[in-house]
Amino acid sequence: MKNKKALIVISFGSTFDETRKRDIGGIEAALATALPDFDQYRAFTSGIIRKRLAARGIFIDDVEALLPKLATAGYEEVLLAPTHLLHGEEFEQKILALKEKFLPLFKSITISRPLIVTEEDYQLAVSALLEQLPPLAEGEGVIFMGHGTPRANNAAHGYTYVKLQELFDQCQVPVLVGTVEDEDTPNFATVLERLQQRGYKHVHLYPLMVVAGDHANNDMYGDEPDSWKSQIEALGISTTGHLNGIGRYPAIQRLYIQHALQALPTSERA
């Protein structure tokens, strides 16, 4: 313990070692540099991922288990910094809901927002994603695979990915956005339809997810016949897979830093 202030970087989690190191770890390292007056801790919200990691001897707390430990250690102020992409069910139930319960243990608990919440967030996220794209030749395009949600009551449902597609279109860039969940929109069937309409001969596939985990390695770019890669190549369109989460992009890391600093009282901002 070096400070009286603790920063908990909260991620959904991943069982993939590379993505924990570079995608989640990239955001954590950027936040540590930006907030040197906070001692940093890691928490994962996915119970399944924590259980699988524990079976391999890798033990990571959830936020609810970590907060009492920090109070016992003597921390007075806590900043919760989620690496979640959206303000959805996971963020509301496993992060926001904890503030009232645990606030009596500390002088303050502050929570920064996920990556994409406000109108400005959308614009900045699109710009940050475009920074990472390779030079594209004529006839080349990009597809971003998001997760999506089948829950119609989720605040992010039916809006986030449509909005991102609209912004990419306004930028007049050859980018398509789709979701793994068929119930969300635009789903992969819509992506395939638009892909053929645009006539791309080659596409770059990127996960629109903080981590490049199971969805990226299997649903997006696996060798099974039902993967996005296989179905696109079956149409005679060649592909290149980029198996990295957006958490490792410096431009995205800067947005998480911005959100963390904006959440703090003005007197504590660098």
Side-chain angles (χ1 to χ4, degrees), residues 208-264:
L208 184 53
M209 303 174 186
V210 174
V211 301
D214 183 67
H215 286 306
N217 287 273
N218 295 310
D219 296 314
M220 187 186 82
Y221 216 69
D223 292 326
E224 295 298 317
D226 60 347
S227 74
W228 286 27
K229 167 193 172 183
S230 296
Q231 293 185 66
I232 291 171
E233 290 181 348
L235 298 175
I237 302 169
S238 58
T239 67
T240 299
H242 301 266
L243 296 175
N244 48 266
I246 65 173
R248 71 182 65 180
Y249 299 155
I252 293 294
Q253 293 165 9
R254 289 194 293 271
L255 297 184
Y256 282 112
I257 291 172
Q258 181 185 81
H259 291 183
L261 293 175
Q262 287 172 344
L264 294 173

Side-chain angles (χ1 to χ4, degrees), residues 93-112:
Q93 294 186 2
K94 296 186 178 181
I95 301 175
L96 278 184
L98 298 180
K99 182 172 182 177
E100 184 176 352
K101 179 178 180 180
F102 290 100
L103 184 55
L105 300 180
F106 304 95
K107 287 184 178 179
S108 68
I109 295 179
T110 305
I111 304 174
S112 64

Side-chain angles (χ1 to χ4, degrees), residues 59-232:
F59 301 98
I60 298 172
D61 282 322
D62 63 5
V63 193
E64 196 157 1
L66 183 54
L67 283 169
K69 295 180 182 180
L70 297 186
T72 300
Y75 288 103
E76 298 176 352
E77 301 174 35
V78 176
L79 170 60
L80 306 181
T83 69
H84 292 64
L85 187 73
L86 309 172
H87 184 137
E89 186 175 47
E90 183 86 6
F91 174 69
E92 289 186 351
Q93 294 186 2
K94 296 186 178 181
I95 301 175
L96 278 184
L98 298 180
K99 182 172 182 177
E100 184 176 352
K101 179 178 180 180
F102 290 100
L103 184 55
L105 300 180
F106 304 95
K107 287 184 178 179
S108 68
I109 295 179
T110 305
I111 304 174
S112 64
R113 67 183 185 270
L115 184 68
I116 303 174
V117 178
T118 68
E119 288 296 315
E120 183 184 26
D121 291 341
Y122 280 93
Q123 298 282 352
L124 293 174
V126 164
S127 296
L129 292 170
L130 290 177
E131 281 187 32
Q132 315 307 319
L133 301 185
L136 299 173
E138 186 175 352
E140 282 192 305
V142 171
I143 296 176
F144 281 112
M145 171 198 264
H147 189 279
T149 173
R151 301 174 182 84
N153 64 342
N154 192 312
H157 177 81
Y159 177 76
T160 298
Y161 301 99
V162 171
K163 175 72 171 179
L164 290 171
Q165 182 65 69
E166 290 174 353
L167 291 174
F168 282 124
D169 290 344
Q170 289 174 18
C171 294
Q172 297 184 325
V173 290
V175 173
L176 292 171
V177 178
T179 63
V180 176
E181 294 286 352
D182 286 336
E183 294 87 349
D184 209 336
T185 185
N187 60 20
F188 185 52
T190 302
V191 170
L192 285 179
E193 182 180 345
R194 291 175 178 171
L195 184 59
Q196 294 176 86
Q197 289 172 351
R198 295 192 180 190
Y200 299 146
K201 303 300 182 184
H202 183 89
V203 292
H204 296 262
L205 294 168
Y206 287 86
L208 184 53
M209 303 174 186
V210 174
V211 301
D214 183 67
H215 286 306
N217 287 273
N218 295 310
D219 296 314
M220 187 186 82
Y221 216 69
D223 292 326
E224 295 298 317
D226 60 347
S227 74
W228 286 27
K229 167 193 172 183
S230 296
Q231 293 185 66
I232 291 171

Side-chain angles (χ1 to χ4, degrees), residues 12-27:
F12 181 80
S14 177
T15 58
F16 286 75
D17 295 339
E18 177 72 4
T19 203
R20 281 200 319 280
K21 178 181 178 181
R22 298 195 60 191
D23 298 337
I24 296 173
I27 297 172

